[in-house]
Amino acid sequence: MKTIAHSPHAHAPVTVSRVMLTVMLALLPATLYGFWIYGWPAFNIWVVTLLAAVIGEAFVLRLQQRPVRPVLSDCSGLLCAWLLAISLPPWTPWWIALLGSWFAVIIAKHVYGGLGQNPFNPAMAARVMLLISFPVEMTTWIAPLDSAHAPGWLQGLAVTFTGAQVDGMASASLLGHVKTEFTRGIELQQALAGYYAPLQALWGNRAGSMGETAALLLLAGGLFLIARRIITWHAPVAMLVGVFVPSLLFSSINPVHYAGPLYHLLSGGLILGAFFIITDPVTSPNTATGQLIYGLCCGLLTWIIRTWGGYPEGVAFAVMLMNAATPFIDHYVKPRIYGRNRKGDSVSLEPVKKGA
Amino acid sequence: MNLFKLRGGVHPQGRKELAEKHAIRQLPMPERLFVPLQQHVGAPAQPLVRVGDQVLKGQLIGAGQGFISAPVHAPTSGRIAAIGDFSAAHPSGLSSPTVTIEADGLDNWLPTRSVDDPFALSPEEIANAVGAAGIVGLGGATFPSAVKLSLSRKNNVHTLIINGGECEPYITCDDRLMQERAAEIIEGVRLIRYAVGATRVMVGIEDNKPVALREMQAAAAGTEVKIVAVPAMYPMGWDKQMIRALTGCEVPADGRTADIGMLVHNVATAFAVRDAVRFGRPLVSRVLTVSGGAIATPANLQVPIGALVEDLFSFCGGFSQKPARMVLGGPMMGVELFTAAVPVVKGTSGVLALTQQEIGSTQAAPCIRCSNCVRACPVGLLPLELAAHIRSGDSGAAVSRGLKDCIACGCCSFVCPSHIPLVHYFNFAKGELMEQERGKLKQSATKILAEERLARIERIERERLEAAAKRKAAREAKKRAEQMSKMEVA
Ligand code: SF4
Ligand code: SF4
């Protein structure tokens, strides 16, 4: 018997893979820029991470005796690996990328039941796991290359796969540097002097993860996603506000001890986090209001961890904490139903004069 | 005029360009018409004719029964060929009682009585004329219009809203009607306003129909009718959405539009009302759209009720390619047709023959919680959550989260990147709930029956005992009387 086709008999031209591919497209400029400033090793890490994700995902699907192709073709695994790759130190050894990638797709995603079921953002979960387990490898940054020091392709392979060193490249990330200087009792202004120029930060031309630092390109990618209606402005804007407001407040009270908003907004993974990580649909709340709360808390937590926490960067931790709060937010923040009040009772016969 | 903020909704590809340029044409009278007796919400009409009877166009062939019902008239003159079950325009392929008429080709009207000044009639007379003409909501709701009119008078409706929000893609029949018969529609609108005694009357037309807007504005000039352009979006034609857009008011979830003093009618209904009141002509035909990528020449047609969908397709030059799906109504809320041998009814606004490309893929993937559905829902539901509850078999939780408020508009399914058939879930769960409720009703009905039976048995028993007692008393009385008389004799 023929089954009844249900209405609607039309569909918007969206598919999961199209959504994921659009996000990847938005990430492309920042990623290419990362390759350019950090050289071949960065590219190698990116390739290893993505490949590992595909292999890892295919492996678990086989294990569960589920069809491999439809799941792989939704591209969510690739996107997750991409996000992880660009938040790794670009010259990190290959096995870090491999471990992180497998952790992300196998443990953080498929163990929970696959796409849509994972409570934590897999890329951030993997990053946090790596940071805790391999603190040295995860915090060894390099300064942007100049052509004199740029390793060739073969040398790049050596850096990634044999851990070869190239002299004079190691450097600290901005947030890490400031934190270290603080612990040595050096004041903020001094710590920043010669190490920080906002314009440079805008371009991301400094030490950091391969894709995180290019604030401007990431911002452009994020705006592109908003324009394409893949994400909405709520969570990103709220997160930026969540960092901006306290940093402005504290730095104007005590500029010697607290860094200003510009420093915070352009540092570390904030822009990446705001536009690409906390907008991950699976692990964020469902409603606009929920996303505002979620974004705001992500921002606040990020700032708190950066300012008072033991780690220089707080985005990944903040996101994980708020991931855990998402079901809670979704439970309490629900849209009002037409003709009913927020409690779900029918509105009185008095006309409701407000829109939604 | 200020419009009010709306929530949700989607912007599907209009696809109206297929049919919107085609003026309304008359479908040549088919040889046979199949007129179902149930074309409306409520009780089916009772057949008044017998096989072999000759009928004239507009003659009553089915009488409405009960408060919510509508009569059915012969759409052309001819002979009644059969009365019996015929497959109805329903995906189940179920059949319903249908009167089959063999057209004699003359199309002779029953003599009708015209009224020169319909505004001289009393409001009751207008409501009666509308009821006698068998007019139902032509937007698709098919609720008997006369019932709505009289309810509105009782509820002191102050605002009449005429729905020109033809938001379903492809469908252009109301658009064409407004372009070509604006003056008639406005007269119908004014008649309805007069009949219900409303003080305010607005026609909401989507701004993607500029010609219709212009024509209606011209026709409404100098009258109390106000034409308002509303944004083109789906589901603008949902009456509650139209109310919100035009007045900012919300209809209570447990109430009707009349509770907040509003009445909504569709433009095509207004047109039919005018025909009925001024010329005494019952509703025997309607304008509908034949469209879709598989139709050779899409069209807007004036079609007698009871014409078969296949007649329409062949009049439109047949298919340019094999349709992947035939749909009755619009693509967002219409139902799939398995056969084109089903009749057009009063509520049919269009028939579509769609290609696979137009339908889109239907392979469902897991929910990625993207909240597209949440943003699209005009009611303010959380479709992904409802679906999750239903999938886990917990329809109670779905109901507490507003399942019954879902209008099955299809916005959520439309935008879901995972192509999850959300509306399907909701309709399925609603059907199940209805079953349960019916079951409960049945149970209570059985219980009442059982109690009645018990009471009856008790009563009979009591009566038997009483009768026995009476007999006994009578016997004893007789005995005593006999003894007495014996004693007297002695
Ligand atoms: S079908 Fe129901 S749940 Fe889906 S958008 Fe329409 S009203 Fe909302
Ligand atoms: S639109 Fe589909 S995938 Fe997105 S949240 Fe709703 S049900 Fe899930």
Side-chain angles (χ1 to χ4, degrees), chain B residues 27-34 86 288 290 301 303-319 340-344 351:
Chain B
L27 181 81
M29 188 56 67
E31 282 168 17
R32 273 169 179 253
L33 294 176
F34 302 85
F86 190 79
L288 55 76
V290 184
L301 300 177
V303 177
I305 305 299
L308 293 186
V309 168
E310 57 193 18
D311 296 338
L312 309 186
F313 285 152
S314 54
F315 180 71
C316 290
F319 301 132
V342 294
V344 165
V351 285

PDB file of all heavy atoms in Angstrom, chain B residues 27-34 86 288 290 301 303-319 340-344 351:
ATOM      1  N   LEU B  27     -15.085  26.520 -16.585  1.00  0.00           N
ATOM      2  CA  LEU B  27     -14.883  25.123 -16.992  1.00  0.00           C
ATOM      3  C   LEU B  27     -16.123  24.678 -17.762  1.00  0.00           C
ATOM      4  O   LEU B  27     -17.240  24.856 -17.285  1.00  0.00           O
ATOM      5  CB  LEU B  27     -14.708  24.226 -15.768  1.00  0.00           C
ATOM      6  CG  LEU B  27     -14.474  22.752 -16.085  1.00  0.00           C
ATOM      7  CD1 LEU B  27     -13.027  22.503 -16.453  1.00  0.00           C
ATOM      8  CD2 LEU B  27     -14.877  21.869 -14.909  1.00  0.00           C
ATOM      9  N   PRO B  28     -15.958  24.133 -18.970  1.00  0.00           N
ATOM     10  CA  PRO B  28     -17.141  23.628 -19.693  1.00  0.00           C
ATOM     11  C   PRO B  28     -17.835  22.578 -18.835  1.00  0.00           C
ATOM     12  O   PRO B  28     -17.174  21.799 -18.151  1.00  0.00           O
ATOM     13  CB  PRO B  28     -16.550  22.999 -20.952  1.00  0.00           C
ATOM     14  CG  PRO B  28     -15.143  23.440 -21.032  1.00  0.00           C
ATOM     15  CD  PRO B  28     -14.714  23.870 -19.676  1.00  0.00           C
ATOM     16  N   MET B  29     -19.179  22.564 -18.880  1.00  0.00           N
ATOM     17  CA  MET B  29     -19.920  21.668 -18.001  1.00  0.00           C
ATOM     18  C   MET B  29     -19.565  20.210 -18.294  1.00  0.00           C
ATOM     19  O   MET B  29     -19.718  19.744 -19.423  1.00  0.00           O
ATOM     20  CB  MET B  29     -21.419  21.891 -18.207  1.00  0.00           C
ATOM     21  CG  MET B  29     -22.277  21.147 -17.213  1.00  0.00           C
ATOM     22  SD  MET B  29     -21.892  21.517 -15.483  1.00  0.00           S
ATOM     23  CE  MET B  29     -22.405  23.225 -15.358  1.00  0.00           C
ATOM     24  N   PRO B  30     -19.050  19.477 -17.298  1.00  0.00           N
ATOM     25  CA  PRO B  30     -18.774  18.053 -17.519  1.00  0.00           C
ATOM     26  C   PRO B  30     -20.085  17.291 -17.716  1.00  0.00           C
ATOM     27  O   PRO B  30     -21.157  17.789 -17.375  1.00  0.00           O
ATOM     28  CB  PRO B  30     -18.087  17.614 -16.231  1.00  0.00           C
ATOM     29  CG  PRO B  30     -17.770  18.857 -15.479  1.00  0.00           C
ATOM     30  CD  PRO B  30     -18.719  19.898 -15.945  1.00  0.00           C
ATOM     31  N   GLU B  31     -20.009  16.074 -18.246  1.00  0.00           N
ATOM     32  CA  GLU B  31     -21.229  15.300 -18.493  1.00  0.00           C
ATOM     33  C   GLU B  31     -21.872  14.845 -17.188  1.00  0.00           C
ATOM     34  O   GLU B  31     -23.079  14.709 -17.091  1.00  0.00           O
ATOM     35  CB  GLU B  31     -20.917  14.082 -19.359  1.00  0.00           C
ATOM     36  CG  GLU B  31     -20.775  14.467 -20.818  1.00  0.00           C
ATOM     37  CD  GLU B  31     -20.180  13.351 -21.640  1.00  0.00           C
ATOM     38  OE1 GLU B  31     -20.192  12.197 -21.152  1.00  0.00           O
ATOM     39  OE2 GLU B  31     -19.704  13.647 -22.745  1.00  0.00           O
ATOM     40  N   ARG B  32     -21.036  14.559 -16.238  1.00  0.00           N
ATOM     41  CA  ARG B  32     -21.558  14.097 -14.954  1.00  0.00           C
ATOM     42  C   ARG B  32     -20.943  14.899 -13.828  1.00  0.00           C
ATOM     43  O   ARG B  32     -19.748  15.218 -13.869  1.00  0.00           O
ATOM     44  CB  ARG B  32     -21.184  12.625 -14.726  1.00  0.00           C
ATOM     45  CG  ARG B  32     -22.146  11.660 -15.312  1.00  0.00           C
ATOM     46  CD  ARG B  32     -21.568  10.262 -15.284  1.00  0.00           C
ATOM     47  NE  ARG B  32     -22.555   9.357 -15.855  1.00  0.00           N
ATOM     48  CZ  ARG B  32     -23.258   8.495 -15.111  1.00  0.00           C
ATOM     49  NH1 ARG B  32     -23.047   8.388 -13.831  1.00  0.00           N
ATOM     50  NH2 ARG B  32     -24.162   7.714 -15.696  1.00  0.00           N
ATOM     51  N   LEU B  33     -21.760  15.181 -12.848  1.00  0.00           N
ATOM     52  CA  LEU B  33     -21.250  15.850 -11.647  1.00  0.00           C
ATOM     53  C   LEU B  33     -21.492  14.932 -10.448  1.00  0.00           C
ATOM     54  O   LEU B  33     -22.497  14.235 -10.391  1.00  0.00           O
ATOM     55  CB  LEU B  33     -21.969  17.184 -11.433  1.00  0.00           C
ATOM     56  CG  LEU B  33     -21.704  18.252 -12.497  1.00  0.00           C
ATOM     57  CD1 LEU B  33     -22.541  19.482 -12.221  1.00  0.00           C
ATOM     58  CD2 LEU B  33     -20.226  18.620 -12.539  1.00  0.00           C
ATOM     59  N   PHE B  34     -20.557  14.948  -9.536  1.00  0.00           N
ATOM     60  CA  PHE B  34     -20.663  14.085  -8.355  1.00  0.00           C
ATOM     61  C   PHE B  34     -20.703  14.997  -7.127  1.00  0.00           C
ATOM     62  O   PHE B  34     -19.665  15.519  -6.706  1.00  0.00           O
ATOM     63  CB  PHE B  34     -19.468  13.141  -8.288  1.00  0.00           C
ATOM     64  CG  PHE B  34     -19.354  12.282  -9.517  1.00  0.00           C
ATOM     65  CD1 PHE B  34     -18.708  12.750 -10.651  1.00  0.00           C
ATOM     66  CD2 PHE B  34     -19.931  11.017  -9.537  1.00  0.00           C
ATOM     67  CE1 PHE B  34     -18.619  11.972 -11.790  1.00  0.00           C
ATOM     68  CE2 PHE B  34     -19.833  10.231 -10.678  1.00  0.00           C
ATOM     69  CZ  PHE B  34     -19.178  10.703 -11.812  1.00  0.00           C
ATOM     70  N   PHE B  86     -19.402   7.543  -3.117  1.00  0.00           N
ATOM     71  CA  PHE B  86     -18.414   7.837  -4.140  1.00  0.00           C
ATOM     72  C   PHE B  86     -17.170   8.316  -3.438  1.00  0.00           C
ATOM     73  O   PHE B  86     -17.251   8.949  -2.390  1.00  0.00           O
ATOM     74  CB  PHE B  86     -18.957   8.923  -5.068  1.00  0.00           C
ATOM     75  CG  PHE B  86     -18.116   9.132  -6.294  1.00  0.00           C
ATOM     76  CD1 PHE B  86     -18.209   8.262  -7.367  1.00  0.00           C
ATOM     77  CD2 PHE B  86     -17.226  10.196  -6.358  1.00  0.00           C
ATOM     78  CE1 PHE B  86     -17.425   8.442  -8.489  1.00  0.00           C
ATOM     79  CE2 PHE B  86     -16.442  10.371  -7.487  1.00  0.00           C
ATOM     80  CZ  PHE B  86     -16.542   9.499  -8.548  1.00  0.00           C
ATOM     81  N   LEU B 288     -11.388  28.255  -8.501  1.00  0.00           N
ATOM     82  CA  LEU B 288     -10.235  27.594  -7.891  1.00  0.00           C
ATOM     83  C   LEU B 288      -9.041  27.632  -8.838  1.00  0.00           C
ATOM     84  O   LEU B 288      -9.174  27.966 -10.015  1.00  0.00           O
ATOM     85  CB  LEU B 288     -10.578  26.160  -7.474  1.00  0.00           C
ATOM     86  CG  LEU B 288     -11.136  25.186  -8.499  1.00  0.00           C
ATOM     87  CD1 LEU B 288     -10.039  24.697  -9.425  1.00  0.00           C
ATOM     88  CD2 LEU B 288     -11.760  24.002  -7.773  1.00  0.00           C
ATOM     89  N   VAL B 290      -5.827  25.726 -10.658  1.00  0.00           N
ATOM     90  CA  VAL B 290      -5.191  24.472 -11.053  1.00  0.00           C
ATOM     91  C   VAL B 290      -3.758  24.824 -11.391  1.00  0.00           C
ATOM     92  O   VAL B 290      -3.514  25.631 -12.284  1.00  0.00           O
ATOM     93  CB  VAL B 290      -5.883  23.850 -12.283  1.00  0.00           C
ATOM     94  CG1 VAL B 290      -5.264  22.499 -12.595  1.00  0.00           C
ATOM     95  CG2 VAL B 290      -7.373  23.726 -12.042  1.00  0.00           C
ATOM     96  N   LEU B 301     -10.061  28.705 -12.542  1.00  0.00           N
ATOM     97  CA  LEU B 301     -11.279  28.254 -13.200  1.00  0.00           C
ATOM     98  C   LEU B 301     -12.491  28.454 -12.317  1.00  0.00           C
ATOM     99  O   LEU B 301     -12.420  28.294 -11.099  1.00  0.00           O
ATOM    100  CB  LEU B 301     -11.184  26.758 -13.539  1.00  0.00           C
ATOM    101  CG  LEU B 301     -10.055  26.319 -14.456  1.00  0.00           C
ATOM    102  CD1 LEU B 301     -10.083  24.809 -14.603  1.00  0.00           C
ATOM    103  CD2 LEU B 301     -10.180  26.991 -15.811  1.00  0.00           C
ATOM    104  N   VAL B 303     -15.606  26.633 -11.477  1.00  0.00           N
ATOM    105  CA  VAL B 303     -15.890  25.201 -11.614  1.00  0.00           C
ATOM    106  C   VAL B 303     -17.193  24.856 -10.901  1.00  0.00           C
ATOM    107  O   VAL B 303     -17.402  25.269  -9.754  1.00  0.00           O
ATOM    108  CB  VAL B 303     -14.741  24.382 -10.976  1.00  0.00           C
ATOM    109  CG1 VAL B 303     -15.029  22.895 -11.034  1.00  0.00           C
ATOM    110  CG2 VAL B 303     -13.431  24.694 -11.653  1.00  0.00           C
ATOM    111  N   PRO B 304     -18.093  24.116 -11.568  1.00  0.00           N
ATOM    112  CA  PRO B 304     -19.288  23.662 -10.850  1.00  0.00           C
ATOM    113  C   PRO B 304     -18.886  22.672  -9.763  1.00  0.00           C
ATOM    114  O   PRO B 304     -17.978  21.861  -9.970  1.00  0.00           O
ATOM    115  CB  PRO B 304     -20.117  22.976 -11.932  1.00  0.00           C
ATOM    116  CG  PRO B 304     -19.138  22.594 -12.984  1.00  0.00           C
ATOM    117  CD  PRO B 304     -18.059  23.640 -12.952  1.00  0.00           C
ATOM    118  N   ILE B 305     -19.548  22.768  -8.609  1.00  0.00           N
ATOM    119  CA  ILE B 305     -19.305  21.799  -7.542  1.00  0.00           C
ATOM    120  C   ILE B 305     -19.593  20.413  -8.102  1.00  0.00           C
ATOM    121  O   ILE B 305     -20.565  20.222  -8.828  1.00  0.00           O
ATOM    122  CB  ILE B 305     -20.244  22.074  -6.346  1.00  0.00           C
ATOM    123  CG1 ILE B 305     -20.105  23.495  -5.853  1.00  0.00           C
ATOM    124  CG2 ILE B 305     -20.034  21.063  -5.234  1.00  0.00           C
ATOM    125  CD1 ILE B 305     -18.749  23.882  -5.357  1.00  0.00           C
ATOM    126  N   GLY B 306     -18.757  19.464  -7.801  1.00  0.00           N
ATOM    127  CA  GLY B 306     -19.010  18.095  -8.249  1.00  0.00           C
ATOM    128  C   GLY B 306     -18.244  17.703  -9.498  1.00  0.00           C
ATOM    129  O   GLY B 306     -18.261  16.533  -9.891  1.00  0.00           O
ATOM    130  N   ALA B 307     -17.584  18.685 -10.138  1.00  0.00           N
ATOM    131  CA  ALA B 307     -16.743  18.325 -11.285  1.00  0.00           C
ATOM    132  C   ALA B 307     -15.562  17.515 -10.766  1.00  0.00           C
ATOM    133  O   ALA B 307     -15.084  17.739  -9.660  1.00  0.00           O
ATOM    134  CB  ALA B 307     -16.257  19.580 -11.985  1.00  0.00           C
ATOM    135  N   LEU B 308     -15.094  16.566 -11.549  1.00  0.00           N
ATOM    136  CA  LEU B 308     -13.985  15.743 -11.081  1.00  0.00           C
ATOM    137  C   LEU B 308     -12.662  16.467 -11.310  1.00  0.00           C
ATOM    138  O   LEU B 308     -12.508  17.209 -12.284  1.00  0.00           O
ATOM    139  CB  LEU B 308     -13.964  14.411 -11.812  1.00  0.00           C
ATOM    140  CG  LEU B 308     -15.139  13.473 -11.503  1.00  0.00           C
ATOM    141  CD1 LEU B 308     -14.930  12.134 -12.182  1.00  0.00           C
ATOM    142  CD2 LEU B 308     -15.320  13.299 -10.003  1.00  0.00           C
ATOM    143  N   VAL B 309     -11.728  16.201 -10.423  1.00  0.00           N
ATOM    144  CA  VAL B 309     -10.416  16.820 -10.550  1.00  0.00           C
ATOM    145  C   VAL B 309      -9.791  16.450 -11.891  1.00  0.00           C
ATOM    146  O   VAL B 309      -9.127  17.265 -12.533  1.00  0.00           O
ATOM    147  CB  VAL B 309      -9.528  16.376  -9.360  1.00  0.00           C
ATOM    148  CG1 VAL B 309      -8.078  16.750  -9.600  1.00  0.00           C
ATOM    149  CG2 VAL B 309     -10.039  16.991  -8.067  1.00  0.00           C
ATOM    150  N   GLU B 310     -10.071  15.234 -12.367  1.00  0.00           N
ATOM    151  CA  GLU B 310      -9.476  14.852 -13.654  1.00  0.00           C
ATOM    152  C   GLU B 310     -10.044  15.684 -14.802  1.00  0.00           C
ATOM    153  O   GLU B 310      -9.350  15.954 -15.774  1.00  0.00           O
ATOM    154  CB  GLU B 310      -9.639  13.348 -13.904  1.00  0.00           C
ATOM    155  CG  GLU B 310     -11.055  12.845 -13.890  1.00  0.00           C
ATOM    156  CD  GLU B 310     -11.116  11.312 -13.835  1.00  0.00           C
ATOM    157  OE1 GLU B 310     -10.096  10.700 -13.477  1.00  0.00           O
ATOM    158  OE2 GLU B 310     -12.182  10.759 -14.143  1.00  0.00           O
ATOM    159  N   ASP B 311     -11.310  16.125 -14.663  1.00  0.00           N
ATOM    160  CA  ASP B 311     -11.866  17.033 -15.676  1.00  0.00           C
ATOM    161  C   ASP B 311     -11.053  18.321 -15.729  1.00  0.00           C
ATOM    162  O   ASP B 311     -10.791  18.862 -16.804  1.00  0.00           O
ATOM    163  CB  ASP B 311     -13.313  17.408 -15.339  1.00  0.00           C
ATOM    164  CG  ASP B 311     -14.246  16.203 -15.371  1.00  0.00           C
ATOM    165  OD1 ASP B 311     -13.896  15.215 -16.040  1.00  0.00           O
ATOM    166  OD2 ASP B 311     -15.302  16.255 -14.698  1.00  0.00           O
ATOM    167  N   LEU B 312     -10.689  18.804 -14.543  1.00  0.00           N
ATOM    168  CA  LEU B 312      -9.924  20.056 -14.485  1.00  0.00           C
ATOM    169  C   LEU B 312      -8.561  19.873 -15.134  1.00  0.00           C
ATOM    170  O   LEU B 312      -8.104  20.696 -15.923  1.00  0.00           O
ATOM    171  CB  LEU B 312      -9.724  20.508 -13.036  1.00  0.00           C
ATOM    172  CG  LEU B 312     -10.953  20.587 -12.150  1.00  0.00           C
ATOM    173  CD1 LEU B 312     -10.580  21.193 -10.802  1.00  0.00           C
ATOM    174  CD2 LEU B 312     -12.028  21.425 -12.797  1.00  0.00           C
ATOM    175  N   PHE B 313      -7.906  18.772 -14.783  1.00  0.00           N
ATOM    176  CA  PHE B 313      -6.582  18.530 -15.352  1.00  0.00           C
ATOM    177  C   PHE B 313      -6.649  18.452 -16.866  1.00  0.00           C
ATOM    178  O   PHE B 313      -5.839  19.054 -17.569  1.00  0.00           O
ATOM    179  CB  PHE B 313      -5.987  17.235 -14.784  1.00  0.00           C
ATOM    180  CG  PHE B 313      -5.494  17.370 -13.366  1.00  0.00           C
ATOM    181  CD1 PHE B 313      -5.478  16.266 -12.518  1.00  0.00           C
ATOM    182  CD2 PHE B 313      -5.050  18.584 -12.877  1.00  0.00           C
ATOM    183  CE1 PHE B 313      -5.014  16.385 -11.209  1.00  0.00           C
ATOM    184  CE2 PHE B 313      -4.592  18.707 -11.573  1.00  0.00           C
ATOM    185  CZ  PHE B 313      -4.577  17.608 -10.737  1.00  0.00           C
ATOM    186  N   SER B 314      -7.645  17.732 -17.389  1.00  0.00           N
ATOM    187  CA  SER B 314      -7.646  17.583 -18.846  1.00  0.00           C
ATOM    188  C   SER B 314      -8.004  18.913 -19.508  1.00  0.00           C
ATOM    189  O   SER B 314      -7.488  19.233 -20.567  1.00  0.00           O
ATOM    190  CB  SER B 314      -8.554  16.447 -19.295  1.00  0.00           C
ATOM    191  OG  SER B 314      -9.839  16.629 -18.770  1.00  0.00           O
ATOM    192  N   PHE B 315      -8.849  19.732 -18.848  1.00  0.00           N
ATOM    193  CA  PHE B 315      -9.141  21.044 -19.421  1.00  0.00           C
ATOM    194  C   PHE B 315      -7.881  21.904 -19.461  1.00  0.00           C
ATOM    195  O   PHE B 315      -7.722  22.743 -20.345  1.00  0.00           O
ATOM    196  CB  PHE B 315     -10.233  21.746 -18.615  1.00  0.00           C
ATOM    197  CG  PHE B 315     -10.584  23.100 -19.135  1.00  0.00           C
ATOM    198  CD1 PHE B 315     -11.281  23.238 -20.341  1.00  0.00           C
ATOM    199  CD2 PHE B 315     -10.214  24.250 -18.458  1.00  0.00           C
ATOM    200  CE1 PHE B 315     -11.601  24.485 -20.837  1.00  0.00           C
ATOM    201  CE2 PHE B 315     -10.523  25.515 -18.958  1.00  0.00           C
ATOM    202  CZ  PHE B 315     -11.219  25.629 -20.149  1.00  0.00           C
ATOM    203  N   CYS B 316      -6.994  21.699 -18.502  1.00  0.00           N
ATOM    204  CA  CYS B 316      -5.756  22.495 -18.462  1.00  0.00           C
ATOM    205  C   CYS B 316      -4.654  21.872 -19.315  1.00  0.00           C
ATOM    206  O   CYS B 316      -3.474  22.151 -19.107  1.00  0.00           O
ATOM    207  CB  CYS B 316      -5.281  22.649 -17.027  1.00  0.00           C
ATOM    208  SG  CYS B 316      -6.357  23.702 -16.072  1.00  0.00           S
ATOM    209  N   GLY B 317      -5.021  21.014 -20.229  1.00  0.00           N
ATOM    210  CA  GLY B 317      -4.041  20.477 -21.163  1.00  0.00           C
ATOM    211  C   GLY B 317      -3.280  19.288 -20.617  1.00  0.00           C
ATOM    212  O   GLY B 317      -2.251  18.893 -21.173  1.00  0.00           O
ATOM    213  N   GLY B 318      -3.771  18.725 -19.527  1.00  0.00           N
ATOM    214  CA  GLY B 318      -3.114  17.535 -18.990  1.00  0.00           C
ATOM    215  C   GLY B 318      -1.779  17.865 -18.351  1.00  0.00           C
ATOM    216  O   GLY B 318      -1.506  19.007 -18.002  1.00  0.00           O
ATOM    217  N   PHE B 319      -0.964  16.840 -18.220  1.00  0.00           N
ATOM    218  CA  PHE B 319       0.319  17.005 -17.540  1.00  0.00           C
ATOM    219  C   PHE B 319       1.441  17.216 -18.541  1.00  0.00           C
ATOM    220  O   PHE B 319       1.480  16.576 -19.580  1.00  0.00           O
ATOM    221  CB  PHE B 319       0.640  15.770 -16.692  1.00  0.00           C
ATOM    222  CG  PHE B 319      -0.410  15.485 -15.650  1.00  0.00           C
ATOM    223  CD1 PHE B 319      -0.923  14.202 -15.495  1.00  0.00           C
ATOM    224  CD2 PHE B 319      -0.865  16.495 -14.823  1.00  0.00           C
ATOM    225  CE1 PHE B 319      -1.882  13.945 -14.537  1.00  0.00           C
ATOM    226  CE2 PHE B 319      -1.823  16.238 -13.868  1.00  0.00           C
ATOM    227  CZ  PHE B 319      -2.336  14.958 -13.723  1.00  0.00           C
ATOM    228  N   ALA B 340      -7.389  11.138  -9.289  1.00  0.00           N
ATOM    229  CA  ALA B 340      -7.962  12.404  -9.736  1.00  0.00           C
ATOM    230  C   ALA B 340      -9.462  12.262  -9.931  1.00  0.00           C
ATOM    231  O   ALA B 340     -10.128  13.200 -10.347  1.00  0.00           O
ATOM    232  CB  ALA B 340      -7.298  12.864 -11.025  1.00  0.00           C
ATOM    233  N   ALA B 341     -10.019  11.080  -9.634  1.00  0.00           N
ATOM    234  CA  ALA B 341     -11.455  10.871  -9.797  1.00  0.00           C
ATOM    235  C   ALA B 341     -12.206  11.244  -8.527  1.00  0.00           C
ATOM    236  O   ALA B 341     -13.016  10.486  -8.022  1.00  0.00           O
ATOM    237  CB  ALA B 341     -11.733   9.423 -10.184  1.00  0.00           C
ATOM    238  N   VAL B 342     -11.907  12.407  -7.989  1.00  0.00           N
ATOM    239  CA  VAL B 342     -12.649  12.884  -6.823  1.00  0.00           C
ATOM    240  C   VAL B 342     -13.260  14.225  -7.185  1.00  0.00           C
ATOM    241  O   VAL B 342     -12.715  14.968  -8.000  1.00  0.00           O
ATOM    242  CB  VAL B 342     -11.750  13.046  -5.580  1.00  0.00           C
ATOM    243  CG1 VAL B 342     -11.243  11.708  -5.104  1.00  0.00           C
ATOM    244  CG2 VAL B 342     -10.611  13.986  -5.869  1.00  0.00           C
ATOM    245  N   PRO B 343     -14.409  14.524  -6.623  1.00  0.00           N
ATOM    246  CA  PRO B 343     -15.103  15.754  -7.008  1.00  0.00           C
ATOM    247  C   PRO B 343     -14.590  16.991  -6.269  1.00  0.00           C
ATOM    248  O   PRO B 343     -14.106  16.908  -5.147  1.00  0.00           O
ATOM    249  CB  PRO B 343     -16.552  15.465  -6.594  1.00  0.00           C
ATOM    250  CG  PRO B 343     -16.462  14.477  -5.493  1.00  0.00           C
ATOM    251  CD  PRO B 343     -15.217  13.667  -5.734  1.00  0.00           C
ATOM    252  N   VAL B 344     -14.723  18.109  -6.946  1.00  0.00           N
ATOM    253  CA  VAL B 344     -14.468  19.413  -6.338  1.00  0.00           C
ATOM    254  C   VAL B 344     -15.614  19.706  -5.372  1.00  0.00           C
ATOM    255  O   VAL B 344     -16.774  19.465  -5.687  1.00  0.00           O
ATOM    256  CB  VAL B 344     -14.427  20.488  -7.439  1.00  0.00           C
ATOM    257  CG1 VAL B 344     -14.531  21.880  -6.842  1.00  0.00           C
ATOM    258  CG2 VAL B 344     -13.172  20.338  -8.268  1.00  0.00           C
ATOM    259  N   VAL B 351      -6.252  22.653  -6.960  1.00  0.00           N
ATOM    260  CA  VAL B 351      -5.690  21.314  -7.113  1.00  0.00           C
ATOM    261  C   VAL B 351      -4.327  21.468  -7.767  1.00  0.00           C
ATOM    262  O   VAL B 351      -4.155  22.260  -8.686  1.00  0.00           O
ATOM    263  CB  VAL B 351      -6.590  20.379  -7.947  1.00  0.00           C
ATOM    264  CG1 VAL B 351      -7.783  19.936  -7.147  1.00  0.00           C
ATOM    265  CG2 VAL B 351      -7.031  21.030  -9.228  1.00  0.00           C
TER     266      VAL B 351
END
